[in-house]
């Protein structure tokens, strides 16, 4: 059986950030629920590297807030000097995230055990559709939950 070690997230991401800044692509397991339903805490993995192109709406990025907290969210608006960013499981948009705060661009994810990248159905759905229906997310999530519960109870 594989042994799991618990480490301080800030310390761990600081090490990954350093590797990314040296030109490496790194991976880590998702921690937290803000990127659900696309990415789930403890189940999914993201692979990221330093941004090597202009960032756009739909990109998943790693950034550091002014308070030092590391966050993995998706760009929902691009401004001339900053970005608006939101988690896939959220409706509250974080404004004024500056390019120098962003250190990682997600290149692929392992979701439910399967690697996905741009061009795959679920990647494109969350990048192109889900990002544009932020206000509808709570309603859609509730409906999905009700349908899922009914399906499970009748099966």
């Amino acid at each position: 059986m594989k042994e799991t070690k618990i480490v301080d997230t800030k310390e761990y991401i600081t090490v990954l950030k350093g590797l990314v800044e040296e030109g490496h692509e790194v991976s880590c397991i998702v921690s937290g629920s803000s990127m659900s339903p696309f990415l789930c805490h403890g189940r999914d993995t993201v692979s990221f590297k330093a941004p090597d192109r202009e960032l756009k709406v739909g990109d998943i990025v790693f950034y550091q807030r002014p308070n030092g907290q590391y966050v993995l969210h998706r760009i929902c608006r691009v401004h001339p000097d900053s970005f608006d960013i939101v988690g896939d499981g959220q409706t509250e948009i974080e404004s004024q995230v500056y390019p120098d705060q962003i250190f990682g661009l997600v290149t692929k994810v392992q979701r439910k055990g399967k690697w996905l990248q741009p061009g795959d159905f679920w990647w494109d759905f969350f990048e192109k559709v889900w990002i544009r229906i932020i206000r509808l997310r709570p309603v859609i999530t509730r409906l999905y939950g009700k349908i899922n519960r009914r399906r499970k109870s009748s099966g």
Side-chain angles (χ1 to χ4, degrees), residues 39-95:
L39 301 171
C40 291
H41 171 80
R43 179 192 74 187
D44 299 328
T45 300
V46 295
S47 185
F48 62 98
K49 63 181 184 177
D52 58 356
R53 61 168 174 75
E54 200 168 303
L55 298 173
K56 62 182 177 33
V57 170
D59 283 341
I60 302 171
V61 294
F62 245 121
Y63 63 100
Q64 190 171 16
R65 289 181 171 146
N67 67 4
Q69 182 183 20
Y70 291 111
V71 182
L72 177 74
H73 280 170
R74 193 181 297 274
I75 295 174
C76 63
R77 281 189 214 102
V78 177
H79 301 285
D81 64 341
S82 68
F83 301 94
D84 292 350
I85 298 182
V86 66
D88 287 349
Q90 300 179 320
T91 56
E92 193 170 317
I93 296 168
E94 184 171 351
S95 299

Short mmCIF file of all heavy atoms in Angstrom, two decimals, residues 39-95:
data_model
loop_
_atom_site.label_atom_id
_atom_site.label_comp_id
_atom_site.label_asym_id
_atom_site.label_seq_id
_atom_site.Cartn_x
_atom_site.Cartn_y
_atom_site.Cartn_z
N LEU A 39 -12.78 19.63 -10.83
CA LEU A 39 -11.71 18.99 -10.08
C LEU A 39 -12.15 18.78 -8.64
O LEU A 39 -12.72 19.69 -8.03
CB LEU A 39 -10.44 19.85 -10.11
CG LEU A 39 -9.88 20.15 -11.50
CD1 LEU A 39 -8.77 21.18 -11.43
CD2 LEU A 39 -9.41 18.87 -12.16
N CYS A 40 -11.88 17.61 -8.10
CA CYS A 40 -12.32 17.28 -6.74
C CYS A 40 -11.14 17.08 -5.79
O CYS A 40 -10.14 16.46 -6.15
CB CYS A 40 -13.19 16.02 -6.76
SG CYS A 40 -14.76 16.31 -7.56
N HIS A 41 -11.33 17.59 -4.59
CA HIS A 41 -10.35 17.51 -3.51
C HIS A 41 -9.90 16.07 -3.28
O HIS A 41 -10.72 15.17 -3.13
CB HIS A 41 -10.97 18.08 -2.24
CG HIS A 41 -10.16 17.87 -1.01
ND1 HIS A 41 -9.08 18.65 -0.69
CD2 HIS A 41 -10.25 16.93 -0.03
CE1 HIS A 41 -8.56 18.22 0.45
NE2 HIS A 41 -9.25 17.18 0.86
N GLY A 42 -8.58 15.87 -3.28
CA GLY A 42 -8.01 14.58 -2.94
C GLY A 42 -8.12 13.51 -4.02
O GLY A 42 -7.48 12.48 -3.92
N ARG A 43 -8.93 13.74 -5.03
CA ARG A 43 -9.12 12.76 -6.09
C ARG A 43 -8.31 13.09 -7.34
O ARG A 43 -7.70 12.23 -7.95
CB ARG A 43 -10.61 12.69 -6.47
CG ARG A 43 -10.92 11.69 -7.59
CD ARG A 43 -12.31 11.85 -8.16
NE ARG A 43 -12.40 13.03 -9.00
CZ ARG A 43 -13.53 13.51 -9.51
NH1 ARG A 43 -14.68 12.91 -9.26
NH2 ARG A 43 -13.51 14.59 -10.27
N ASP A 44 -8.31 14.35 -7.72
CA ASP A 44 -7.75 14.77 -9.01
C ASP A 44 -6.37 15.41 -8.87
O ASP A 44 -6.00 15.89 -7.80
CB ASP A 44 -8.72 15.72 -9.70
CG ASP A 44 -10.07 15.07 -9.97
OD1 ASP A 44 -10.11 13.84 -10.20
OD2 ASP A 44 -11.09 15.77 -9.96
N THR A 45 -5.66 15.42 -9.98
CA THR A 45 -4.30 15.95 -10.04
C THR A 45 -4.21 16.98 -11.16
O THR A 45 -4.83 16.80 -12.21
CB THR A 45 -3.29 14.81 -10.32
OG1 THR A 45 -3.38 13.85 -9.26
CG2 THR A 45 -1.87 15.32 -10.42
N VAL A 46 -3.45 18.04 -10.93
CA VAL A 46 -3.20 19.02 -11.99
C VAL A 46 -1.71 19.03 -12.31
O VAL A 46 -0.87 18.83 -11.43
CB VAL A 46 -3.65 20.46 -11.60
CG1 VAL A 46 -5.16 20.52 -11.43
CG2 VAL A 46 -2.96 20.96 -10.35
N SER A 47 -1.41 19.27 -13.56
CA SER A 47 -0.03 19.42 -14.02
C SER A 47 0.08 20.85 -14.54
O SER A 47 -0.78 21.30 -15.31
CB SER A 47 0.25 18.40 -15.13
OG SER A 47 1.59 18.46 -15.52
N PHE A 48 1.12 21.57 -14.10
CA PHE A 48 1.23 22.96 -14.52
C PHE A 48 2.68 23.36 -14.72
O PHE A 48 3.61 22.70 -14.25
CB PHE A 48 0.55 23.90 -13.51
CG PHE A 48 1.12 23.89 -12.12
CD1 PHE A 48 2.02 24.85 -11.72
CD2 PHE A 48 0.74 22.91 -11.21
CE1 PHE A 48 2.54 24.85 -10.43
CE2 PHE A 48 1.25 22.90 -9.91
CZ PHE A 48 2.14 23.87 -9.52
N LYS A 49 2.83 24.46 -15.46
CA LYS A 49 4.15 25.03 -15.74
C LYS A 49 4.02 26.53 -15.77
O LYS A 49 2.91 27.08 -15.69
CB LYS A 49 4.67 24.50 -17.08
CG LYS A 49 3.83 24.91 -18.27
CD LYS A 49 4.38 24.34 -19.56
CE LYS A 49 3.56 24.84 -20.74
NZ LYS A 49 4.10 24.38 -22.01
N ALA A 50 5.15 27.21 -15.90
CA ALA A 50 5.11 28.67 -15.99
C ALA A 50 4.37 29.06 -17.28
O ALA A 50 4.55 28.40 -18.31
CB ALA A 50 6.53 29.23 -16.02
N PRO A 51 3.53 30.09 -17.21
CA PRO A 51 2.83 30.51 -18.43
C PRO A 51 3.84 30.84 -19.54
O PRO A 51 4.81 31.55 -19.31
CB PRO A 51 2.07 31.75 -17.99
CG PRO A 51 1.91 31.60 -16.52
CD PRO A 51 3.16 30.91 -16.06
N ASP A 52 3.59 30.28 -20.72
CA ASP A 52 4.50 30.51 -21.86
C ASP A 52 3.77 31.14 -23.03
O ASP A 52 4.24 31.11 -24.16
CB ASP A 52 5.16 29.20 -22.27
CG ASP A 52 4.15 28.12 -22.66
OD1 ASP A 52 2.91 28.36 -22.53
OD2 ASP A 52 4.58 27.03 -23.08
N ARG A 53 2.58 31.68 -22.75
CA ARG A 53 1.78 32.36 -23.77
C ARG A 53 0.88 33.36 -23.07
O ARG A 53 0.80 33.39 -21.83
CB ARG A 53 0.96 31.35 -24.56
CG ARG A 53 -0.02 30.56 -23.70
CD ARG A 53 -1.02 29.79 -24.55
NE ARG A 53 -1.87 28.91 -23.78
CZ ARG A 53 -2.89 29.29 -23.01
NH1 ARG A 53 -3.17 30.57 -22.86
NH2 ARG A 53 -3.61 28.40 -22.37
N GLU A 54 0.19 34.17 -23.86
CA GLU A 54 -0.74 35.13 -23.29
C GLU A 54 -1.91 34.36 -22.66
O GLU A 54 -2.45 33.43 -23.27
CB GLU A 54 -1.26 36.04 -24.40
CG GLU A 54 -1.84 37.33 -23.90
CD GLU A 54 -2.07 38.32 -25.02
OE1 GLU A 54 -1.09 38.65 -25.73
OE2 GLU A 54 -3.23 38.75 -25.18
N LEU A 55 -2.25 34.72 -21.45
CA LEU A 55 -3.34 34.03 -20.75
C LEU A 55 -4.69 34.52 -21.28
O LEU A 55 -4.83 35.67 -21.68
CB LEU A 55 -3.23 34.27 -19.25
CG LEU A 55 -1.96 33.72 -18.61
CD1 LEU A 55 -1.86 34.16 -17.15
CD2 LEU A 55 -1.91 32.21 -18.72
N LYS A 56 -5.68 33.59 -21.26
CA LYS A 56 -6.99 33.90 -21.84
C LYS A 56 -8.11 33.40 -20.93
O LYS A 56 -7.88 32.61 -20.00
CB LYS A 56 -7.11 33.29 -23.22
CG LYS A 56 -7.03 31.77 -23.25
CD LYS A 56 -7.13 31.23 -24.66
CE LYS A 56 -6.98 29.75 -24.80
NZ LYS A 56 -7.45 28.87 -23.78
N VAL A 57 -9.32 33.85 -21.23
CA VAL A 57 -10.50 33.38 -20.50
C VAL A 57 -10.58 31.86 -20.63
O VAL A 57 -10.39 31.30 -21.71
CB VAL A 57 -11.78 34.04 -21.08
CG1 VAL A 57 -13.03 33.37 -20.50
CG2 VAL A 57 -11.79 35.53 -20.79
N GLY A 58 -10.83 31.21 -19.50
CA GLY A 58 -10.94 29.76 -19.46
C GLY A 58 -9.70 29.06 -18.96
O GLY A 58 -9.76 27.90 -18.55
N ASP A 59 -8.54 29.74 -18.98
CA ASP A 59 -7.31 29.13 -18.48
C ASP A 59 -7.41 28.89 -16.98
O ASP A 59 -7.92 29.73 -16.23
CB ASP A 59 -6.10 30.04 -18.74
CG ASP A 59 -5.63 30.02 -20.17
OD1 ASP A 59 -5.96 29.07 -20.92
OD2 ASP A 59 -4.90 30.96 -20.55
N ILE A 60 -6.87 27.75 -16.53
CA ILE A 60 -6.75 27.46 -15.11
C ILE A 60 -5.34 27.87 -14.70
O ILE A 60 -4.36 27.42 -15.32
CB ILE A 60 -6.96 25.97 -14.80
CG1 ILE A 60 -8.34 25.51 -15.30
CG2 ILE A 60 -6.83 25.71 -13.30
CD1 ILE A 60 -8.53 24.00 -15.23
N VAL A 61 -5.24 28.72 -13.69
CA VAL A 61 -3.94 29.24 -13.27
C VAL A 61 -3.74 29.07 -11.77
O VAL A 61 -4.69 29.04 -10.99
CB VAL A 61 -3.78 30.72 -13.66
CG1 VAL A 61 -3.75 30.89 -15.17
CG2 VAL A 61 -4.86 31.60 -13.05
N PHE A 62 -2.47 28.96 -11.40
CA PHE A 62 -2.05 28.99 -10.00
C PHE A 62 -1.55 30.40 -9.74
O PHE A 62 -0.76 30.94 -10.53
CB PHE A 62 -0.89 28.02 -9.76
CG PHE A 62 -1.22 26.89 -8.84
CD1 PHE A 62 -1.10 25.59 -9.28
CD2 PHE A 62 -1.63 27.11 -7.53
CE1 PHE A 62 -1.40 24.52 -8.45
CE2 PHE A 62 -1.92 26.06 -6.68
CZ PHE A 62 -1.81 24.76 -7.15
N TYR A 63 -2.01 31.02 -8.68
CA TYR A 63 -1.53 32.35 -8.33
C TYR A 63 -1.42 32.49 -6.83
O TYR A 63 -1.91 31.66 -6.08
CB TYR A 63 -2.44 33.44 -8.93
CG TYR A 63 -3.87 33.44 -8.42
CD1 TYR A 63 -4.28 34.34 -7.44
CD2 TYR A 63 -4.81 32.55 -8.92
CE1 TYR A 63 -5.59 34.34 -6.98
CE2 TYR A 63 -6.12 32.56 -8.48
CZ TYR A 63 -6.50 33.46 -7.51
OH TYR A 63 -7.80 33.47 -7.05
N GLN A 64 -0.74 33.55 -6.43
CA GLN A 64 -0.56 33.81 -5.01
C GLN A 64 -1.22 35.13 -4.65
O GLN A 64 -0.95 36.17 -5.26
CB GLN A 64 0.94 33.86 -4.66
CG GLN A 64 1.18 33.89 -3.18
CD GLN A 64 2.65 33.71 -2.83
OE1 GLN A 64 3.53 33.85 -3.67
NE2 GLN A 64 2.91 33.41 -1.57
N ARG A 65 -2.12 35.05 -3.69
CA ARG A 65 -2.80 36.26 -3.21
C ARG A 65 -1.82 37.12 -2.42
O ARG A 65 -0.82 36.61 -1.91
CB ARG A 65 -3.99 35.89 -2.33
CG ARG A 65 -5.12 35.28 -3.11
CD ARG A 65 -6.29 34.95 -2.23
NE ARG A 65 -7.45 34.56 -3.03
CZ ARG A 65 -8.33 33.66 -2.66
NH1 ARG A 65 -8.22 33.05 -1.49
NH2 ARG A 65 -9.35 33.36 -3.44
N PRO A 66 -2.13 38.41 -2.27
CA PRO A 66 -1.24 39.29 -1.48
C PRO A 66 -1.01 38.80 -0.05
O PRO A 66 0.03 39.05 0.53
CB PRO A 66 -1.98 40.64 -1.49
CG PRO A 66 -2.76 40.62 -2.76
CD PRO A 66 -3.20 39.17 -2.93
N ASN A 67 -1.97 38.02 0.51
CA ASN A 67 -1.80 37.51 1.87
C ASN A 67 -0.93 36.25 1.92
O ASN A 67 -0.74 35.66 2.97
CB ASN A 67 -3.16 37.24 2.52
CG ASN A 67 -3.91 36.08 1.87
OD1 ASN A 67 -3.42 35.42 0.96
ND2 ASN A 67 -5.14 35.87 2.33
N GLY A 68 -0.40 35.81 0.74
CA GLY A 68 0.47 34.66 0.68
C GLY A 68 -0.22 33.35 0.31
O GLY A 68 0.44 32.35 0.03
N GLN A 69 -1.55 33.33 0.33
CA GLN A 69 -2.31 32.12 0.03
C GLN A 69 -2.17 31.75 -1.45
O GLN A 69 -2.24 32.61 -2.32
CB GLN A 69 -3.78 32.34 0.37
CG GLN A 69 -4.65 31.13 0.14
CD GLN A 69 -6.13 31.42 0.43
OE1 GLN A 69 -6.56 32.57 0.45
NE2 GLN A 69 -6.88 30.37 0.66
N TYR A 70 -1.97 30.46 -1.71
CA TYR A 70 -1.91 29.95 -3.08
C TYR A 70 -3.29 29.47 -3.51
O TYR A 70 -3.99 28.82 -2.73
CB TYR A 70 -0.91 28.79 -3.18
CG TYR A 70 0.52 29.22 -2.99
CD1 TYR A 70 1.22 28.84 -1.86
CD2 TYR A 70 1.16 30.01 -3.95
CE1 TYR A 70 2.55 29.23 -1.68
CE2 TYR A 70 2.48 30.40 -3.78
CZ TYR A 70 3.16 30.00 -2.65
OH TYR A 70 4.47 30.39 -2.49
N VAL A 71 -3.66 29.79 -4.75
CA VAL A 71 -5.00 29.48 -5.24
C VAL A 71 -4.92 28.94 -6.66
O VAL A 71 -4.12 29.41 -7.48
CB VAL A 71 -5.89 30.75 -5.22
CG1 VAL A 71 -7.31 30.43 -5.68
CG2 VAL A 71 -5.91 31.39 -3.85
N LEU A 72 -5.78 27.97 -6.96
CA LEU A 72 -5.93 27.41 -8.30
C LEU A 72 -7.35 27.73 -8.74
O LEU A 72 -8.31 27.18 -8.19
CB LEU A 72 -5.72 25.89 -8.26
CG LEU A 72 -5.91 25.14 -9.58
CD1 LEU A 72 -4.73 25.41 -10.51
CD2 LEU A 72 -6.05 23.65 -9.32
N HIS A 73 -7.49 28.65 -9.70
CA HIS A 73 -8.80 29.05 -10.21
C HIS A 73 -8.71 29.30 -11.71
O HIS A 73 -7.64 29.19 -12.31
CB HIS A 73 -9.31 30.31 -9.50
CG HIS A 73 -9.89 30.04 -8.16
ND1 HIS A 73 -10.21 31.05 -7.29
CD2 HIS A 73 -10.22 28.89 -7.52
CE1 HIS A 73 -10.71 30.53 -6.18
NE2 HIS A 73 -10.72 29.22 -6.29
N ARG A 74 -9.84 29.69 -12.29
CA ARG A 74 -9.95 29.87 -13.73
C ARG A 74 -10.15 31.36 -14.07
O ARG A 74 -10.89 32.06 -13.39
CB ARG A 74 -11.14 29.05 -14.23
CG ARG A 74 -11.22 28.89 -15.72
CD ARG A 74 -12.45 28.07 -16.11
NE ARG A 74 -12.45 26.71 -15.63
CZ ARG A 74 -11.87 25.68 -16.24
NH1 ARG A 74 -11.22 25.87 -17.37
NH2 ARG A 74 -11.95 24.46 -15.73
N ILE A 75 -9.50 31.81 -15.13
CA ILE A 75 -9.65 33.20 -15.58
C ILE A 75 -11.03 33.36 -16.23
O ILE A 75 -11.41 32.58 -17.11
CB ILE A 75 -8.54 33.59 -16.58
CG1 ILE A 75 -7.17 33.57 -15.88
CG2 ILE A 75 -8.83 34.96 -17.21
CD1 ILE A 75 -5.99 33.80 -16.81
N CYS A 76 -11.78 34.37 -15.78
CA CYS A 76 -13.10 34.63 -16.37
C CYS A 76 -13.16 35.95 -17.14
O CYS A 76 -14.06 36.14 -17.95
CB CYS A 76 -14.21 34.55 -15.32
SG CYS A 76 -14.13 35.75 -14.00
N ARG A 77 -12.22 36.85 -16.90
CA ARG A 77 -12.12 38.10 -17.67
C ARG A 77 -10.66 38.53 -17.74
O ARG A 77 -9.91 38.37 -16.77
CB ARG A 77 -12.92 39.23 -17.01
CG ARG A 77 -14.39 39.16 -17.27
CD ARG A 77 -15.12 40.42 -16.78
NE ARG A 77 -16.44 40.03 -16.31
CZ ARG A 77 -16.79 39.89 -15.04
NH1 ARG A 77 -15.95 40.14 -14.08
NH2 ARG A 77 -18.01 39.51 -14.72
N VAL A 78 -10.31 39.10 -18.88
CA VAL A 78 -8.96 39.63 -19.07
C VAL A 78 -9.07 41.15 -19.23
O VAL A 78 -9.85 41.63 -20.05
CB VAL A 78 -8.29 39.02 -20.33
CG1 VAL A 78 -6.93 39.63 -20.56
CG2 VAL A 78 -8.20 37.50 -20.20
N HIS A 79 -8.32 41.86 -18.41
CA HIS A 79 -8.25 43.33 -18.50
C HIS A 79 -6.85 43.69 -18.99
O HIS A 79 -5.95 42.84 -18.96
CB HIS A 79 -8.51 43.95 -17.12
CG HIS A 79 -9.85 43.59 -16.55
ND1 HIS A 79 -11.03 44.13 -17.00
CD2 HIS A 79 -10.18 42.71 -15.57
CE1 HIS A 79 -12.03 43.61 -16.32
NE2 HIS A 79 -11.54 42.74 -15.44
N PRO A 80 -6.64 44.93 -19.40
CA PRO A 80 -5.31 45.31 -19.89
C PRO A 80 -4.17 45.03 -18.91
O PRO A 80 -3.08 44.66 -19.33
CB PRO A 80 -5.44 46.81 -20.17
CG PRO A 80 -6.90 47.02 -20.43
CD PRO A 80 -7.61 46.03 -19.54
N ASP A 81 -4.43 45.18 -17.59
CA ASP A 81 -3.34 45.01 -16.63
C ASP A 81 -3.63 43.98 -15.53
O ASP A 81 -2.84 43.81 -14.60
CB ASP A 81 -2.99 46.35 -15.98
CG ASP A 81 -4.12 46.92 -15.16
OD1 ASP A 81 -5.28 46.49 -15.35
OD2 ASP A 81 -3.87 47.79 -14.30
N SER A 82 -4.77 43.28 -15.62
CA SER A 82 -5.13 42.31 -14.58
C SER A 82 -6.14 41.30 -15.11
O SER A 82 -6.57 41.38 -16.25
CB SER A 82 -5.70 43.04 -13.35
OG SER A 82 -6.96 43.62 -13.67
N PHE A 83 -6.50 40.38 -14.21
CA PHE A 83 -7.45 39.32 -14.55
C PHE A 83 -8.53 39.24 -13.47
O PHE A 83 -8.26 39.56 -12.31
CB PHE A 83 -6.76 37.96 -14.62
CG PHE A 83 -5.64 37.91 -15.62
CD1 PHE A 83 -4.33 38.15 -15.23
CD2 PHE A 83 -5.90 37.61 -16.95
CE1 PHE A 83 -3.29 38.11 -16.15
CE2 PHE A 83 -4.87 37.56 -17.88
CZ PHE A 83 -3.57 37.81 -17.48
N ASP A 84 -9.71 38.80 -13.86
CA ASP A 84 -10.75 38.40 -12.91
C ASP A 84 -10.73 36.88 -12.93
O ASP A 84 -10.65 36.26 -14.00
CB ASP A 84 -12.12 38.91 -13.33
CG ASP A 84 -12.25 40.42 -13.23
OD1 ASP A 84 -11.35 41.07 -12.66
OD2 ASP A 84 -13.25 40.96 -13.73
N ILE A 85 -10.81 36.29 -11.74
CA ILE A 85 -10.61 34.85 -11.60
C ILE A 85 -11.69 34.28 -10.69
O ILE A 85 -12.10 34.94 -9.72
CB ILE A 85 -9.19 34.56 -11.05
CG1 ILE A 85 -8.16 35.09 -12.06
CG2 ILE A 85 -8.99 33.09 -10.77
CD1 ILE A 85 -6.71 34.85 -11.70
N VAL A 86 -12.13 33.05 -10.99
CA VAL A 86 -13.16 32.40 -10.18
C VAL A 86 -12.95 30.89 -10.20
O VAL A 86 -12.50 30.34 -11.20
CB VAL A 86 -14.58 32.78 -10.70
CG1 VAL A 86 -14.84 32.23 -12.09
CG2 VAL A 86 -15.68 32.36 -9.73
N GLY A 87 -13.27 30.24 -9.10
CA GLY A 87 -13.23 28.79 -9.05
C GLY A 87 -14.45 28.22 -9.76
O GLY A 87 -15.50 28.87 -9.82
N ASP A 88 -14.35 27.02 -10.29
CA ASP A 88 -15.48 26.40 -11.00
C ASP A 88 -16.66 26.15 -10.07
O ASP A 88 -17.80 26.04 -10.54
CB ASP A 88 -15.05 25.09 -11.66
CG ASP A 88 -14.18 25.30 -12.88
OD1 ASP A 88 -14.06 26.45 -13.36
OD2 ASP A 88 -13.61 24.30 -13.37
N GLY A 89 -16.42 26.05 -8.79
CA GLY A 89 -17.48 25.82 -7.82
C GLY A 89 -17.95 27.08 -7.14
O GLY A 89 -18.63 27.03 -6.12
N GLN A 90 -17.59 28.23 -7.69
CA GLN A 90 -17.90 29.50 -7.04
C GLN A 90 -18.67 30.44 -7.96
O GLN A 90 -18.67 30.26 -9.18
CB GLN A 90 -16.60 30.19 -6.61
CG GLN A 90 -15.78 29.38 -5.64
CD GLN A 90 -14.50 30.08 -5.26
OE1 GLN A 90 -13.85 30.70 -6.09
NE2 GLN A 90 -14.13 29.97 -4.00
N THR A 91 -19.27 31.45 -7.36
CA THR A 91 -19.93 32.50 -8.14
C THR A 91 -19.32 33.87 -7.84
O THR A 91 -19.58 34.82 -8.56
CB THR A 91 -21.45 32.56 -7.83
OG1 THR A 91 -21.63 32.73 -6.43
CG2 THR A 91 -22.14 31.28 -8.30
N GLU A 92 -18.53 33.95 -6.78
CA GLU A 92 -17.89 35.22 -6.43
C GLU A 92 -16.57 35.36 -7.17
O GLU A 92 -15.67 34.53 -7.03
CB GLU A 92 -17.65 35.29 -4.92
CG GLU A 92 -17.29 36.69 -4.47
CD GLU A 92 -17.29 36.81 -2.96
OE1 GLU A 92 -18.22 36.29 -2.32
OE2 GLU A 92 -16.34 37.44 -2.44
N ILE A 93 -16.46 36.42 -7.96
CA ILE A 93 -15.29 36.65 -8.80
C ILE A 93 -14.25 37.46 -8.04
O ILE A 93 -14.58 38.44 -7.37
CB ILE A 93 -15.71 37.39 -10.09
CG1 ILE A 93 -16.64 36.48 -10.91
CG2 ILE A 93 -14.51 37.83 -10.91
CD1 ILE A 93 -17.35 37.18 -12.05
N GLU A 94 -13.01 37.04 -8.14
CA GLU A 94 -11.90 37.76 -7.53
C GLU A 94 -11.29 38.66 -8.61
O GLU A 94 -10.84 38.18 -9.65
CB GLU A 94 -10.85 36.78 -7.01
CG GLU A 94 -9.71 37.43 -6.29
CD GLU A 94 -8.80 36.43 -5.60
OE1 GLU A 94 -9.13 35.23 -5.54
OE2 GLU A 94 -7.74 36.87 -5.13
N SER A 95 -11.30 39.96 -8.36
CA SER A 95 -10.80 40.93 -9.34
C SER A 95 -9.38 41.35 -9.03
O SER A 95 -8.88 41.11 -7.92
CB SER A 95 -11.69 42.18 -9.35
OG SER A 95 -13.00 41.83 -9.71
#
